Amino acid sequence: MKGRRIIAGMLLVGILITSFTGCSESVHQKKEKNKPTITLGSDSYPPYNYLNEDGIPTGIDVDLATEAFERMGYQVDVVQINWEKKKELVESGEIDCIMGCFSMEGRLDEYRWAGPYISSRQVVAVNENSDIYELKDLEGKNVAVQSTTKPEGIFLKRTDERIPKLANLISLGHRELIYSFLGKGYVDAVAAHEESIVQYMKDYDTNFRILEEPLMTVGIGVAFAKNDDRGICEELDQILEEMRQDGTSLKIIGKYLDDPEKYLEVDGFEY
């Protein structure tokens, strides 16, 4: 009889522990659920933002945003957007901000910015057997870029005297297409962020040659609508700088890119 009482008591204790544990988890889940959400818009742009094997957004910008907004008391919802409509989406409030290796250069008056938090080189890549070695060799050539990106503006405006007149500038909606056009010989060169080109070569086991002379070195930032007066942008700017100083950004970037220190050299930008 005594043995039965001991067993019954142990069962009761087990039930109570389970009950309390369940309550604790429910409270935690409720707390997470009640956190305000920041909707971050980006397109697929490895290694900054892309879907992993499980279909979950990952990459440099995803990890940086998750950590930064967590420190600010928010959770992040990363959504894939039509990159050409990014300005319209952030101004309508459908997304809170744009973060996808987004160059601040030439766009300072269009958005409210947090950053720069990373520096990046805009470069030109060609096939390995190409006779193009310098920017001047692009004269009369066909070049592919992703539409609404900084390289598109560089070649269209030609305010830099180093940029020659092309035969054709082909603007494509998706990042992957520009590399397919180059690989198939439809164009002579492509222009994009250096990290994106390196990542594509790694992902698809292909080789392009990147010209030593860059188009431009730019600062990467997070863009909010110009009339966004919630103060989130300004707080995020401070948190991203805090992460750069405390080593968090270095650790995150190092997961995806070699020599991560060079990407954090942003003090020279006067934004």
Side-chain angles (χ1 to χ4, degrees), residues 135-137 154 159-164 213-216:
L135 292 179
K136 65 180 182 180
D137 298 334
I154 291 173
T159 53
D160 186 335
E161 61 182 15
R162 299 175 305 142
I163 306 302
E213 185 181 10
L215 285 172
M216 178 183 287

Side-chain angles (χ1 to χ4, degrees), residues 87-128:
K87 195 168 191 288
E88 174 186 325
L89 291 170
V90 77
E91 289 180 345
S92 70
E94 190 168 336
I95 60 174
D96 290 295
C97 60
I98 306 161
M99 188 175 182
C101 195
F102 197 19
S103 305
M104 297 173 66
E105 191 75 31
R107 300 186 176 107
L108 296 180
D109 295 331
E110 296 181 47
Y111 302 94
R112 188 183 292 265
W113 289 95
Y117 61 91
I118 283 180
S119 66
S120 175
R121 295 200 326 156
Q122 298 278 8
V123 297
V124 171
V126 298
N127 287 311
E128 288 189 305

